[in-house]
């Protein structure tokens, strides 16, 4: 079967299946969902997310009027205010002075800044990897974190709340339809597919950095969907 007969969103998911599995199988993710980390171990993930989404949403601001990337820039997805509210709750009003992104996160942010503003298709790759994941495995992560750490009323877990998206599955279906309708040359499609894999590698590296929070011998836990990455949901 030729690739042109396969919906582009299906090509993206198939091409990134192995990278997604590598991300979701990280020890940090399983420990987070199982509640095997202390609160600082979760808070450090929020610190990394804040840096990543600041870069991604800044790129989105530059691309709002771009014919290719603009339709993907949606206020309903914006996460930065929620992340900063979570950090204020978890760390305090001076969270910016008290927190530092890991080296893997710094590299991830640099990649977003390097390629996204001048390459709409690569921006879409990072956008897809983050936000569709947030609306898939990320929702499960949010529920687990809130339960495990007693974070009620969205305090500390606002990142996982999409008040403007009451039907995540319908939103994801519409998002994939936009992917399928993209007027991409084969070169641009290849660039987007390649960048999705780059995004997954950076995401996996962030989890590897955060594995320092995992206890030496945590209880066995089933692999969980990776927060912030696209899943088959």
């Amino acid at each position: 079967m030729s690739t042109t007969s396969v919906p582009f969103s299906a090509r993206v998911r198939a091409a990134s299946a192995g990278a997604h599995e590598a991300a979701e199988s990280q020890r940090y993710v399983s420990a987070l969902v199982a509640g095997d980390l202390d609160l600082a171990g979760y808070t450090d993930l929020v610190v990394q997310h804040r840096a990543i989404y600041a870069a991604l949403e800044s790129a989105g601001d530059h691309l709002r009027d771009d014919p290719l990337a603009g339709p993907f820039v949606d206020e309903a997805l914006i996460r930065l205010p929620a992340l900063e509210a979570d950090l204020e709750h978890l760390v305090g009003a001076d969270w910016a002075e008290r927190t530092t992104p890991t080296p893997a996160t710094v590299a991830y942010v640099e990649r977003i800044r390097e390629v996204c503003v001048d390459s709409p298709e690569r921006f879409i790759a990072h956008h897809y990897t983050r936000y569709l994941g947030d609306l898939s495995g990320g929702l499960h992560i949010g529920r687990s974190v809130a339960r495990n750490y007693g974070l009620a009323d969205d305090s500390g877990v606002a990142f996982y709340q999409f008040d403007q998206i009451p039907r995540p599955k319908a939103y994801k279906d519409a998002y994939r339809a936009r992917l399928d309708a993209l007027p991409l040359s084969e070169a641009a499609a290849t660039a987007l597919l390649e960048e999705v894999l780059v995004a997954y590698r950076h995401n996996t590296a962030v989890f590897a950095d955060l594995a320092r929070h995992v206890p030496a011998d945590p209880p066995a836990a089933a692999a969980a969907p990776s927060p912030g990455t696209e899943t088959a949901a």
Side-chain angles (χ1 to χ4, degrees):
M1 180 183 296
S2 68
T3 58
T4 56
S5 65
V6 178
F8 185 62
S9 60
R11 289 178 62 189
V12 176
R13 293 176 73 188
S16 59
H20 173 252
E21 183 178 356
E24 74 174 6
S25 63
Q26 292 295 302
R27 292 171 58 240
Y28 174 84
V29 178
S30 296
L32 176 66
V33 174
D36 294 332
L37 308 177
D38 59 18
L39 186 60
Y42 163 63
T43 300
D44 206 2
L45 176 63
V46 184
V47 172
Q48 313 319 312
H49 276 165
R50 192 270 167 193
I52 293 163
Y53 283 83
L56 185 58
E57 292 176 3
S58 176
D61 286 340
H62 285 281
L63 291 167
R64 286 182 185 278
D65 297 325
D66 182 85
L68 203 66
F72 292 88
V73 181
D74 185 353
E75 290 298 321
L77 292 172
I78 296 299
R79 299 291 87 199
L80 191 57
L83 285 163
E84 293 182 350
D86 287 342
L87 286 172
E88 184 164 351
H89 176 80
L90 294 165
V91 180
D94 59 345
W95 61 264
E97 290 75 39
R98 296 174 57 193
T99 60
T100 305
T102 68
T105 296
V106 171
Y108 196 168
V109 167
E110 288 177 350
R111 179 63 181 183
I112 291 171
R113 291 173 175 168
E114 176 187 358
V115 303
C116 285
V117 173
D118 296 325
S119 176
E121 60 270 20
R122 293 185 186 275
F123 167 78
I124 293 169
H126 284 277
H127 191 277
Y128 162 90
T129 306
R130 298 302 323 176
Y131 293 111
L132 249 64
D134 296 337
L135 290 168
S136 299
L139 298 180
H140 171 67
I141 293 289
R143 290 189 292 270
S144 297
V145 167
R147 179 178 63 251
N148 292 338
Y149 302 101
L151 299 171
D153 302 322
D154 299 346
S155 297
V157 287
F159 169 73
Y160 300 102
Q161 309 303 317
F162 289 86
D163 295 337
Q164 298 181 58
I165 303 179
R167 298 171 58 208
K169 184 181 184 303
Y171 189 96
K172 291 186 293 180
D173 288 345
Y175 189 109
R176 294 186 184 109
R178 286 197 296 276
L179 282 177
D180 294 338
L182 284 171
L184 297 173
S185 66
E186 193 56 36
T190 298
L192 195 158
L193 290 166
E194 290 175 349
E195 197 64 28
V196 167
L197 298 181
V198 171
Y200 271 113
R201 287 198 294 270
H202 280 293
N203 194 57
T204 300
V206 170
F207 292 146
D209 266 3
L210 292 174
R212 66 184 182 276
H213 292 288
V214 179
D217 296 301
S226 169
T229 52
E230 160 69 327
T231 74

